[in-house]
Amino acid sequence: MTSRALWVLAAVACVALSGCDRAASPAKVQRDVATANDAAARNDAHAAEHLADSDAAANKDMASAEDKADRKTADAAGDAVITQADGDHKIALAQCESLAGAAQRDCRKQADADLNAVKAKVKAFKTEQN
């Protein structure tokens, strides 16, 4: 049953019970039913509005939480890339030790440049995500 029908039945029951010894006039019953219908319609409209507001707020909260989770995931991925690049950098520097003179210097510069390039890309990515 709908809420409106319940209100109508409740109004009719109240009218019937309030005057057990005498019947109410049809005009009074009709007014009471109309009043109950109006009250039920207002209550239904208010409930629908409240539901819509709650739904909108929940959607906004969910979108905000998803954005926050996406940023955290992106930050963690960037950190993992930098950790990998640091490891590669250490390996490259160790390999540079087998060289001598200018070749060793150039090897170290290249290893440093590679690491700095990765860090710059990750920093740009994180800035873009936020």
Side-chain angles (χ1 to χ4, degrees):
M1 289 181 119
T2 66
S3 176
R4 182 172 291 157
L6 289 176
W7 279 104
V8 170
L9 288 176
V12 170
C14 286
V15 169
L17 291 176
S18 67
C20 287
D21 57 343
R22 63 184 167 95
S25 70
K28 181 176 180 345
V29 171
Q30 193 173 23
R31 276 193 315 270
D32 291 345
V33 169
T35 300
N37 278 333
D38 289 344
R42 281 192 307 273
N43 288 341
D44 287 348
H46 179 70
E49 183 179 312
H50 182 68
L51 176 63
D53 290 345
S54 296
D55 191 39
N59 287 339
K60 182 180 176 185
D61 291 346
M62 186 182 302
S64 176
E66 286 176 357
D67 288 344
K68 186 176 179 180
D70 288 346
R71 282 193 304 274
K72 283 187 174 186
T73 300
D75 285 347
D79 292 344
V81 168
I82 289 176
T83 300
Q84 178 67 41
D86 281 338
D88 293 345
H89 180 253
K90 289 177 183 177
I91 292 168
L93 289 178
Q95 290 172 344
C96 290
E97 295 299 318
S98 67
L99 303 173
Q104 187 181 55
R105 271 193 311 276
D106 291 343
C107 181
R108 286 183 179 191
K109 283 182 185 179
Q110 184 60 49
D112 291 343
D114 292 345
L115 177 62
N116 289 334
V118 169
K119 286 182 178 181
K121 285 181 184 178
V122 169
K123 183 178 178 182
F125 177 75
K126 284 184 177 182
T127 300
E128 182 180 301
Q129 296 301 311
N130 294 326

